[in-house]
Amino acid sequence: METNTENVFQTVEKAQSAVLLWQGLGYSGRAKILKSWSKELIKNIDSLAEIIAEETGKPLSDAALEVNVAINHLKWVIANSQKVLRTQSRPSGLLFANIKSKVERIPFGVVGVIGPWNYPMHTPMGSISYALGAGNVVVFKPSEYTPKIGAALAELFSLVAPSPYIFQTLGGDPQNGIDLTNSKVDKIAFTGSTKTAKKVAEACAKNLIPGVFECGGKDSALIATDADLDLAADEVLWSAMANAGQSCIGIERVYVVDNIADKFIDEISQRARKLQAGKDYGRATMPPQINVIRSHIEDAANKGGRFIVGSLDSIKETIVEPIIMVDVPENSLEVSDETFGPTLVINRVPNIETAIVLANNSKYGLGNAVYSKRQGEKIARKLESGMVSINSVFIFAGIASIPFGGIKDSGYGRIHGPEGLLEFTYAKSYVKPIFKLPLALLSFKRTKFTDNLVKRLTKLLNL
């Protein structure tokens, strides 16, 4: 389905016409409709998974897991929106003791969601569900590689919605994303590459449209001397290779302390050699990504990196077999830039402190993983990223109650959790005198006596 610029603008105008209807339902009314939508999604888990598998090339099992996790996020939104976004009373302080203060969370109105192709349901639903739960209407632009799943989500929503304009999906044409940022949307939620995010952010800035940006990553795993190496090898390999390595939070770098490195490398290599591209994971969803993967691997090899699993011949026309390299210089593309393929760099470090320095020495700051039986949290606190999993991988993406997002070139803003709901609202403050003070503070009638009293009170309250 293609959409021209005029139609994009018209779609946003239709969305605007549904804002008052959707907001007027209140939390309970919206929750009822979202719950009905959830039931439709549950009834169609298999067909939704089939669409995702067809469009992305990932195994059906992985596609089904994606659908289930997305539905669980929607469930959390239904249960928690009203509690998180309720109006709050705030203390006014002794100086303004006669003032009643409160803060209300107001939905923006129309939220434009620009989704990725690697997790075409789970990732955009992290914005769509939370935006809808907060009281916004949504216009969704899926990736040009995965337009069918976006259309299916909107179609199932239309079965239960009081208006077809509360949640609409555009065609996947990239131009539609550009047009969406130039339309009269009230906020943009973008997931994709850092390069594209900067272009979208620039377009939003021209119209002062706020945005939340979840961009690329170069996530690392730090393996300490007291790590469970069997667990670390199993999970790090899955994180690096699952979905053909096409995960923004997939592990692409490993820093392992030298005195356990041989054992870890042996463990993970044995597992990697058993993987079958095309069965355990699928093809490259976006064909041009093959060229990026090849350029990174060639650069790593030219700079002295050694293959321990796979080679340049592992890079086929549409599928990449597992590649693991060691001794790859930190200035290589395979260490510094997001590869987005089933590749992994494992570098030895003398100690965990060096691993922390190298992990942080990145333009990205999305997620990290730490494997240590006793020092996991201590190490995690020193890592510069939005999320860290300890003795695990990926889990922070599936837990609906915690925020998801990064720092540096990995973006800004948060989806998921209370922060995800707050992201799609703005704070509106109300103040109201509840009794009259004998002293006039905000008036030309303010006296010298009042000035001195205010000064004395300030000293008393703050010293």
Side-chain angles (χ1 to χ4, degrees):
M1 178 177 65
E2 303 298 329
T3 313
N4 60 38
T5 299
E6 183 180 352
N7 284 341
V8 172
F9 290 175
Q10 289 177 349
T11 299
V12 173
E13 288 177 4
K14 291 174 181 176
Q16 290 172 328
S17 72
V19 168
L20 293 180
L21 169 61
W22 186 238
Q23 293 180 0
L25 293 174
Y27 291 109
S28 59
R30 291 194 294 270
K32 184 177 180 180
I33 292 167
L34 293 176
K35 190 174 293 184
S36 296
W37 185 34
S38 178
K39 290 179 180 178
E40 292 297 327
L41 295 174
I42 291 169
K43 285 194 297 186
N44 289 275
I45 286 176
D46 291 340
S47 61
L48 291 169
E50 288 170 1
I51 293 171
I52 292 172
E54 173 197 344
E55 291 193 305
T56 65
K58 67 178 63 177
L60 187 60
S61 174
D62 288 354
L65 178 61
E66 177 179 346
V67 175
N68 281 280
V69 174
I71 292 171
N72 283 328
H73 274 278
L74 177 58
K75 177 184 177 183
W76 190 89
V77 168
I78 294 167
N80 291 279
S81 292
Q82 184 169 7
K83 178 173 62 176
V84 171
L85 300 175
R86 68 182 183 277
T87 299
Q88 299 178 3
S89 294
R90 302 282 180 88
S92 301
L94 187 59
L95 198 59
F96 297 101
N98 68 319
I99 303 296
K100 179 180 180 180
S101 301
K102 64 179 182 178
V103 178
E104 185 178 2
R105 302 301 306 192
I106 307 295
F108 282 95
V110 181
V111 172
V113 176
I114 301 175
W117 46 263
N118 59 334
Y119 292 95
M121 179 172 173
H122 170 257
T123 300
M125 283 289 281
S127 296
I128 294 167
S129 299
Y130 291 77
L132 289 170
N136 302 278
V137 301
V138 172
V139 176
F140 174 38
K141 204 294 288 185
S143 166
E144 63 268 32
Y145 294 100
T146 55
K148 292 181 183 177
I149 188 63
L153 293 175
E155 182 180 348
L156 291 174
F157 187 84
S158 70
L159 298 177
V160 301
S163 165
Y165 306 141
I166 294 171
F167 174 36
Q168 302 173 84
T169 299
L170 299 170
D173 188 335
Q175 181 61 42
N176 293 338
I178 297 172
D179 293 336
L180 189 59
T181 61
N182 290 321
S183 71
K184 293 184 179 180
V185 292
D186 299 294
K187 185 158 189 171
I188 288 287
F190 171 88
T191 305
S193 71
T194 300
K195 180 180 179 181
T196 304
K198 290 179 178 179
K199 294 178 181 178
V200 174
E202 182 179 4
C204 290
K206 292 178 180 178
N207 296 312
L208 285 180
I209 298 173
V212 52
F213 293 86
E214 197 270 285
C215 311
K218 194 70 181 180
D219 290 13
S220 61
L222 287 69
I223 316 297
T225 54
D226 64 340
D228 181 332
L229 297 185
D230 184 70
L231 175 69
D234 180 60
E235 294 187 345
V236 169
L237 181 66
W238 182 87
S239 176
M241 305 295 167
N243 198 29
Q246 299 169 136
S247 303
C248 57
I249 54 172
I251 300 298
E252 297 197 11
R253 302 178 290 156
V254 176
Y255 296 106
V256 54
V257 176
D258 190 62
N259 62 1
I260 57 166
D262 287 344
K263 187 174 181 181
F264 174 79
I265 291 170
D266 183 60
E267 290 277 357
I268 199 169
S269 298
Q270 288 184 42
R271 287 171 167 81
R273 293 187 185 101
K274 296 176 183 177
L275 291 179
Q276 297 180 45
K279 178 182 177 182
D280 295 305
Y281 61 81
R283 59 178 168 81
T285 305
M286 189 175 72
Q289 195 64 30
I290 294 288
N291 296 327
V292 175
I293 296 168
R294 181 178 289 106
S295 69
H296 285 198
I297 296 301
E298 286 179 344
D299 181 65
N302 290 336
K303 289 178 177 174
R306 296 188 295 111
F307 293 96
I308 59 170
V309 176
S311 67
L312 280 169
D313 292 336
S314 301
I315 305 171
K316 313 297 184 183
E317 186 176 349
T318 59
I319 282 184
V320 178
E321 296 169 348
I323 296 174
I324 299 180
M325 302 184 75
V326 296
D327 303 330
V328 179
E330 292 292 310
N331 65 349
S332 71
L333 293 173
E334 183 63 9
V335 173
S336 64
D337 287 16
E338 185 176 45
T339 304
F340 231 52
T343 71
L344 186 65
V345 167
I346 303 176
N347 282 340
R348 301 166 183 265
V349 291
N351 49 55
I352 201 66
E353 288 74 22
T354 303
I356 293 168
V357 171
L358 293 175
N360 288 339
N361 186 29
S362 173
K363 60 186 175 184
Y364 298 104
L366 192 53
N368 287 296
V370 174
Y371 283 86
S372 172
K373 295 176 182 176
R374 295 180 295 275
Q375 304 179 68
E377 290 191 26
K378 180 180 178 182
I379 297 167
R381 290 191 185 96
K382 296 179 181 179
L383 293 171
E384 298 170 358
S385 60
M387 304 161 292
V388 183
S389 58
I390 301 168
N391 297 322
S392 60
V393 292
F394 258 76
I395 294 176
F396 41 64
I399 299 174
S401 63
I402 62 173
F404 183 98
I407 59 174
K408 306 182 191 177
D409 273 10
S410 291
Y412 52 83
R414 293 295 183 266
I415 57 175
H416 303 174
E419 291 80 3
L421 287 168
L422 292 169
E423 191 74 55
F424 294 105
T425 64
Y426 63 88
K428 186 174 183 180
S429 302
Y430 301 87
V431 294
K432 177 183 178 182
I434 51 179
F435 60 86
K436 188 174 182 180
L437 286 177
L439 304 174
L441 291 178
L442 306 180
S443 169
F444 289 112
K445 298 178 181 178
R446 190 173 61 243
T447 64
K448 182 80 171 177
F449 173 79
T450 300
D451 288 340
N452 289 332
L453 180 60
V454 168
K455 186 186 297 183
R456 288 198 297 272
L457 283 172
T458 298
K459 291 180 179 179
L460 179 65
L461 294 173
N462 292 281
L463 290 180

